[in-house]
Amino acid sequence: MLIQLGSMGLLVALLAFCVVWVSSDTNKYRKLVWVTLFLTFDLIMFGAFTRLTDSGLGCPDWPGCYGHSNPLQAHEHISAAQEAMPTGPVTVMKAWIEMTHRYFAMGVGVLIIALMAIAWMRWFKARKSTVPQDSKFSPWFPTWLFLFVCLQGAFGAWTVTQKLQPVIVTTHLLLGLTLLAMLTWLGARQSGHAPVAAGAAGLVKPALAGLLLLVLQIALGGWVSTNYAALACTDFPTCHGALLPQMDFANGFTLWRHLGMTADGEFLSFQALTAIHWTHRSFAFVVIAFVVWLACKALRTEGLQKTGRWLLIVVGLQLLTGLSTIFLNWPLAIAVAHNGGAALLLLLLVMLNYKTRLAPGVSPVFGAPSHPVIADRLNPHP
């Protein structure tokens, strides 16, 4: 089973390697980073689809499906579970959705292993190089990526074995988005950037604040999704006809508890679900206001205009999809798009944080080059 599962991960990775190989980009390592980032974004979207279709327990064991590598081999067990509980978490369709998500996750893992291996090989090669810029190439960031994806895989397993416990599922979501952010930073390191005006130095702290606010909002959104509280308020701008409806914050935001239950083992009240939904909805306006202000500042700063423009576009679409989930009774496609919008905002804010650190006089962090041209000089060869 493990060999068959590994083969599926290698097959997904092989498709990515083919894209890199036929690419016209002469820097194949940089291309591999961006392709891995793209697949990670797709994996996050598909993870949202898996969660929103209630397919997280489509195969109730891990890493396989009833001890097999695919639902075809486990068809007898899946059919028996579906017959015993027709409306339960195990169906043939849900099993395929869950296993497809795992295949893509393994593929991303293989790509990150490749990034780490190539980075170390290039580092050993650079130690013998006489070109000063080559010696600055560091393999440590890709190594941290590898360790991080291992942690993410562990939480993926616990998501299943702990029966979709909300705090585990939310952490799994946050770790996936952190992986996306790390790949974005690595991709930015490998790419050249236009010169950034000195005024961007004043946006270093606001950009970081905006990123932290977004992460908190994503965590609240994940808590809404994993507790199935998206329809706890079906009107807007009020909730149950009131600006401050009856809410149970204590039970709603108790982290360590089973799905749908309180810490005492009782069923979670509707007031607790309302508190979860209302908090995410209310805090969204704080995040939107700050990100719009930050984007407007970026639009007026040389070298940051493109990122600022995209921030305004995506935050507008995110607001639209968020409201649509309420007024249109939570359609699946829009709910998945709302998760994708959050990932895009994270990507853009990470990129904004990176670019602000290219401003003259700002100390780079995590290996960010101090000059916009250096990134390509560090990696001149495929």
Side-chain angles (χ1 to χ4, degrees):
M1 179 194 71
L2 293 177
I3 293 174
Q4 291 175 342
L5 285 172
S7 298
M8 292 301 297
L10 286 172
L11 180 60
V12 173
L14 182 61
L15 295 174
F17 289 136
C18 290
V19 172
V20 174
W21 182 259
V22 301
S23 170
S24 59
D25 193 337
T26 57
N27 189 329
K28 299 302 182 184
Y29 184 77
R30 174 174 59 198
K31 187 67 177 182
L32 182 59
V33 171
W34 287 110
V35 169
T36 305
L37 185 149
F38 176 76
L39 287 180
T40 302
F41 178 82
D42 291 340
L43 180 62
I44 290 170
M45 292 281 284
F46 199 82
F49 178 77
T50 302
R51 185 172 64 256
L52 294 168
T53 55
D54 199 23
S55 301
L57 295 177
C59 290
D61 54 334
W62 191 92
C65 191
Y66 288 99
H68 296 282
S69 63
N70 64 73
L72 281 178
Q73 296 173 320
H75 184 77
E76 181 180 349
H77 300 282
I78 296 170
S79 297
Q82 186 173 351
E83 184 177 349
M85 191 180 296
T87 59
V90 179
T91 67
V92 174
M93 179 60 71
K94 290 179 179 180
W96 274 110
I97 292 173
E98 169 65 5
M99 287 308 297
T100 302
H101 177 62
R102 294 183 193 179
Y103 297 150
F104 272 95
M106 287 184 286
V108 169
V110 171
L111 292 174
I112 289 176
I113 291 173
L115 286 172
M116 179 183 67
I118 295 170
W120 277 103
M121 287 189 293
R122 291 180 64 177
W123 182 75
F124 281 115
K125 183 179 179 181
R127 293 182 66 185
K128 302 176 182 179
S129 175
T130 58
V131 180
Q133 288 87 350
D134 289 349
S135 63
K136 296 181 181 178
F137 185 82
S138 172
W140 291 110
F141 198 93
T143 302
W144 281 111
L145 269 175
F146 167 71
L147 296 175
F148 198 86
V149 82
C150 291
L151 177 64
Q152 172 70 339
F155 270 90
W158 293 331
T159 294
V160 177
T161 57
Q162 296 299 316
K163 308 302 180 187
L164 305 182
Q165 189 166 339
V167 69
I168 300 294
V169 181
T170 302
T171 303
H172 186 52
L173 168 66
L174 290 174
L175 289 175
L177 288 164
T178 304
L179 183 64
L180 180 72
M182 293 173 72
L183 282 166
T184 302
W185 194 274
L186 181 60
R189 284 177 57 184
Q190 303 305 313
S191 304
H193 300 278
V196 177
L203 291 179
V204 170
K205 291 182 179 179
L208 179 60
L211 180 61
L212 294 176
L213 286 173
L214 178 67
V215 169
L216 179 56
Q217 176 64 0
I218 289 174
L220 290 172
W223 197 242
V224 169
S225 179
T226 56
N227 283 281
Y228 297 90
L231 295 179
C233 297
T234 56
D235 52 331
F236 182 84
T238 58
C239 179
H240 308 310
L243 291 176
L244 288 174
Q246 290 186 345
M247 292 178 281
D248 180 3
F249 287 96
N251 285 313
F253 287 94
T254 297
L255 298 182
W256 198 258
R257 56 178 174 76
H258 293 292
L259 177 62
M261 310 296 289
T262 66
D264 296 328
E266 300 177 355
F267 286 109
L268 199 64
S269 67
F270 191 72
Q271 287 76 20
L273 296 177
T274 300
I276 295 170
H277 180 110
W278 183 89
T279 303
H280 175 62
R281 178 195 291 191
S282 301
F283 193 67
F285 293 104
V286 176
V287 177
I288 289 171
F290 191 89
V291 171
V292 167
W293 171 82
L294 187 61
C296 291
K297 286 284 189 179
L299 281 172
R300 295 194 293 268
T301 306
E302 187 69 29
L304 304 180
Q305 293 98 329
K306 186 176 180 180
T307 306
R309 191 178 306 114
W310 275 109
L311 272 173
L312 286 177
I313 293 171
V314 176
V315 80
L317 292 174
Q318 188 70 348
L319 176 61
L320 182 62
T321 56
L323 294 176
S324 298
T325 58
I326 298 172
F327 292 121
L328 300 180
N329 200 30
W330 205 43
L332 178 61
I334 294 179
V336 172
H338 192 60
N339 281 262
L344 275 177
L345 278 176
L346 180 71
L347 189 156
L348 289 167
L349 281 172
V350 169
M351 188 61 73
L352 183 66
N353 273 270
Y354 183 90
K355 288 184 177 181
T356 58
R357 286 167 171 78
L358 297 179
V362 178
S363 299
V365 294
F366 299 125
S370 58
H371 190 278
V373 187
I374 288 182
D376 280 333
R377 290 180 180 170
L378 289 180
N379 307 287
H381 307 295

